[in-house]
Amino acid sequence: MKPERKAPIGGRVEDELRTWLRGRDAGPAPDRLRFRVGRVTRVAEQTAPRRIWALLRPIAAVGGVVAVAVLVLLAATLRGPAGPLASGPIPTTSPSPTIPPGLPFPNGLWPRTGAVLAVPLDGPLLAVLTLVPLLLAVLLLAHLAKRSFSDAHRSVADDSDARRSVADDPPGAGLRRMRSRRSSVLRMLGVLLAAALIVVSWDLLQFTQIAPLQYGSGFGSDPTHTLGSRMSAGGGPEETYMAFVPGGQLRLTLTLANSGQLPLTVTSFDTQRFRVDQPAGAFVSSVEILLPAGATFSGWSPTDYHTEAFHPFELQPQSETEFALVLHLKVCGSVAPGPTPAPDAARNDPYLPTTGYVTIGELPFRYSVLGVEREIDVPLSEAIGLVFGSKAVTC
Amino acid sequence: MKAPRGDEREKDGQGVAADIAAERGRVDAAAEFSRLADRYLDTAYRLASVILGDPTEAEDAAHDAAVLAWRRFDTLRDRDRFEQWFCRIVVNVCRDRLRHRRRHPIVELPSEDDERGGLAAPEGAGQLLARDALDRAFVRLDPDHQIVVALRFYRDLTVDDIARRLEIPAGTVKSRLHQAIARLRAELERQGWREEFPDEA
């Protein structure tokens, strides 16, 4: 039970404080303090250790804020609409729907809206994610170093204390006196944690990949419409020409490879972007992609083993798969069909078209890695040229 | 052994001259620092003792502040402002020590009288007990509040002077003062003391 204290404090709190604080005044500095302070300039080095931190701290803070802001802005702005392909309106007459969705469309970063990153961001994003442990380790080590510097500076003050016989102390005795066993253990744990983070980051760095979905090694075209190939300076085919067949279809066997270190899922082919971006897109009414039904790629085969409708499929790291690309061509009134190769005629390589032609150099795919959906234009190892019967062509 | 060329000798001579000048500058700075520190040591020590309430700890704080001040002495352009600058360092050192105290508080055990309760204060001991109550209330304040109160009521500095010395806005000083007094008042009332105004006395 508290004692009853009804006595007044003596006046206003401010006045009492003034009196009481003056009562705490210890008077002039004692001689021993003057002696200690007099030794300061002889014992302590005149340095300004905080200058580096004073410079680095705002730079690090601003850099961190800018990095976070850029990432947030990129994530907020660089996203495009997505969803099952061919669900939107096709601008011109399309004889058949393009790629059938097959399986439910997998969720991307924003499952509610179905939006995906419209630029290839997963490469840099992935690189940043793998570097996070390394950055944490660097920050941790920097913090430990800063604390050590701080301890060292304070230990100088301790060494210069006249109440200690520092002459007999071994080097670093002041520092050891200042550090408790607990702080030493914590420091040791901090170093171990930093080392572990560096090891983790080193392991994760192997997963850094910028554009893992690439074209594979195989290429095949329907010989009944293939006119020949233009050769590159190195000797290999650079562009393969196929005759344009109004209202018909052209069939190619192509391959996709995963050159990265993580499995990826090819989720869809972007027909609309293909029609807009590729010069040949204006002559294509729809694109169909067929997957092999359990077969393995062995070059072009007249027997069609690509019978499975497109569905999202997984590509393991450092592996490749083939697919059939079927181009359904438009009927354009002013465009004459391309020259038809004679049956059983040998390829006329190198071939140079003498009439008008348009090319397909890239195939726009969407795929996901670690749940991050992205778009990419996969450059073909050989461009595909559609050769017409006349020089000037519009559709 | 190859003899140094004339320009190298000249360069060496310049280097030695620069070293001598630097050493002379350091010696001059040390002498000036010692003179200024000695001159304002009383002020610094007394301020530290008021803020910390412990003469021994105030000695250590003043000494630590002197070490820090010497380290940064070359950053002080205007040596006429040494007192304010040195006092700011003292205040910062005291603040660190107060925070350290809060992290490692010394718990006071209740006295036998407190446990028994009901023991009336002896005649003439009221003032002593009031100071003791103030001491307890002051220690419970935030270190920033303690410093502002000490500068205001011990050094009798104005709000603007405190703001200049601590390099914080005057509004912050006012707010801290207001909060500190309110908390002191509340703590004193909690301990059973009441303020006595002049017209009551």
Side-chain angles (χ1 to χ4, degrees), chain A residues 93-185:
Chain A
T93 55
S94 177
S96 60
T98 53
I99 303 164
L103 292 179
F105 199 81
N107 289 333
L109 270 184
W110 293 274
R112 275 188 187 174
T113 62
V116 296
L117 295 172
V119 294
L121 190 65
D122 75 321
L125 188 64
L126 202 58
V128 169
L129 287 176
T130 55
L131 283 175
V132 163
L134 185 64
L135 290 174
L136 286 175
V138 169
L139 286 175
L140 185 58
L141 287 174
H143 175 72
L144 290 173
K146 189 185 169 197
R147 290 295 300 269
S148 291
F149 275 122
S150 170
D151 286 352
H153 293 143
R154 279 191 289 137
S155 75
V156 172
D158 191 64
D159 283 340
S160 67
D161 193 334
R163 291 174 300 184
R164 298 188 192 284
S165 55
V166 292
D168 301 332
D169 279 351
L175 199 58
R176 280 195 292 277
R177 270 196 298 273
M178 293 184 59
R179 288 178 172 170
S180 64
R181 185 169 294 175
R182 181 167 162 266
S183 72
S184 297
V185 170

Side-chain angles (χ1 to χ4, degrees), chain B residues 87-105:
Chain B
C87 282
R88 182 159 65 241
I89 295 175
V90 170
V91 164
N92 288 336
V93 170
C94 289
R95 184 190 291 118
D96 287 347
R97 286 177 173 267
L98 288 173
R99 284 181 180 153
H100 183 79
R101 269 192 209 167
R102 287 172 79 90
R103 285 198 295 272
H104 306 89

Side-chain angles (χ1 to χ4, degrees), chain B residues 66-82:
Chain B
V67 171
L68 284 173
W70 167 239
R71 285 187 194 288
R72 301 175 197 168
F73 189 54
D74 58 344
T75 64
L76 180 66
R77 300 276 167 86
D78 185 2
R79 301 287 158 90
D80 291 338
R81 297 177 59 81
F82 182 84

Side-chain angles (χ1 to χ4, degrees), chain A residues 35-58:
Chain A
F35 177 71
R36 287 168 71 192
V37 170
R39 294 181 65 209
V40 163
T41 55
R42 273 175 284 164
V43 177
E45 287 293 322
Q46 190 182 20
T47 55
R50 285 177 177 271
R51 276 183 189 168
I52 297 172
W53 288 106
L55 283 173
L56 287 182
R57 194 178 294 140

